[in-house]
Amino acid sequence: MLATNVFMASGGTSLWETIVSWYQNSVFAELLNYLSERYFTVEFGNYENFSVSSNAGVAARNLVLALALGFIIAAVITAYTREVLGGFVRKMLKDECFSPARAKTLYDLGYFRSSSIRSALKRGSALRMVVRCCDAEEREAALNAPIVEGERREPEAQNRLLSEKVDFTKDYFYIPEDLRIRAQVRFDNKGSGWMPVLVMVGITAVVAALICWFLPDIVQFADNLITVFAPK
């Protein structure tokens, strides 16, 4: 009952209905309808060798748009990973946080106020593939580890990210040395950014429009080929 009251606007109209009503009467909706009818409409004709249902054009258009949307979402996720999450990883690489002894807190790394990084560390999978977490006791034990043959033999720290028992105000973060190359390659920002995403969106929209435009002609061409080469 409380949830219903929260999502009810004045006059007994739900918030979702209010948003839908605004969208239907907005210029944005008119623009999308114009673009859809002008550039993203597939109209099949009548063919000699096979029949096409009346809903085939709508289904073909929806498939093209779904594929285009998938490419756009993939580009956005890649840019977000390399720009937002990658900035955090590159900071750790720059500071050489390659072991529990060299681990740093989010405050030390300058990301304490970043809700995106905290959420990605706690629930995401991209950062958790390369970033490890330890508490103050484990870091102290690593600092006091004995040096054997000129190399500090640090005890293996528990990855607190996997147990989700992370205290972002106290815990330390590092990238294991054996994952350093993977982190450099996975979160490299060369050739990435939000401008390439905008270019990708534009190219994808143009390609989708061209497919919708020429698809009926391709089907007609296939029908003509069948007519020409069919045995008489």
Side-chain angles (χ1 to χ4, degrees):
M1 186 66 180
L2 179 59
T4 303
N5 293 334
V6 170
F7 288 100
M8 294 294 290
S10 60
T13 304
S14 68
L15 178 61
W16 176 249
E17 291 175 343
T18 302
I19 294 175
V20 171
S21 177
W22 169 84
Y23 169 76
Q24 292 176 343
N25 299 321
S26 66
V27 177
F28 182 69
E30 295 180 2
L31 177 61
L32 288 182
N33 290 333
Y34 169 78
L35 293 176
S36 177
E37 294 176 1
R38 180 68 177 83
Y39 299 104
F40 299 101
T41 298
V42 179
E43 296 181 356
F44 293 113
N46 297 320
Y47 306 102
E48 296 182 7
N49 299 284
F50 47 81
S51 61
V52 178
S53 66
S54 58
N55 296 327
V58 176
R61 182 198 64 180
N62 292 342
L63 178 60
V64 171
L65 293 181
L67 292 174
L69 182 61
F71 281 112
I72 293 173
I73 292 176
V76 171
I77 292 176
T78 300
Y80 173 79
T81 299
R82 297 198 171 188
E83 290 296 315
V84 180
L85 305 184
F88 175 68
V89 172
R90 290 190 294 274
K91 174 62 175 175
M92 297 181 69
L93 293 173
K94 181 180 179 181
D95 292 355
E96 298 183 347
C97 302
F98 299 142
S99 67
R102 296 183 178 181
K104 292 186 176 182
T105 63
L106 290 183
Y107 183 83
D108 296 332
L109 293 167
Y111 283 87
F112 180 74
R113 297 182 180 275
S114 176
S115 58
S116 299
I117 296 300
R118 293 199 302 269
S119 177
L121 285 171
K122 194 168 185 178
R123 300 182 181 85
S125 59
L127 284 184
R128 294 171 68 167
M129 292 176 61
V130 295
V131 176
R132 300 294 181 264
C133 175
C134 63
D135 59 20
E137 293 182 0
E138 292 169 327
R139 182 174 182 271
E140 187 67 22
L143 287 171
N144 296 327
I147 299 177
V148 180
E149 298 179 357
E151 181 180 356
R152 185 182 299 275
R153 299 296 178 87
E154 301 177 6
E156 184 177 353
Q158 178 188 4
N159 184 11
R160 300 172 64 83
L161 289 176
L162 298 179
S163 64
E164 297 185 355
K165 297 178 180 179
V166 184
D167 186 345
F168 291 114
T169 63
K170 299 179 180 178
D171 286 343
Y172 294 79
F173 299 89
Y174 66 99
I175 299 174
E177 181 66 34
D178 58 341
L179 296 178
R180 178 173 59 86
I181 301 300
R182 179 190 296 184
Q184 289 175 340
V185 175
R186 178 70 175 82
F187 295 94
D188 185 15
N189 67 337
K190 291 182 180 180
S192 65
W194 297 111
M195 184 56 67
V197 172
L198 296 178
V199 175
M200 178 67 176
V201 171
I203 294 176
T204 302
V206 171
V207 172
L210 290 176
I211 293 175
C212 291
W213 182 269
F214 287 108
L215 188 57
D217 294 333
I218 294 174
V219 175
Q220 182 65 64
F221 179 72
D223 182 59
N224 296 338
L225 283 179
I226 295 174
T227 302
V228 171
F229 292 101
K232 298 181 181 179

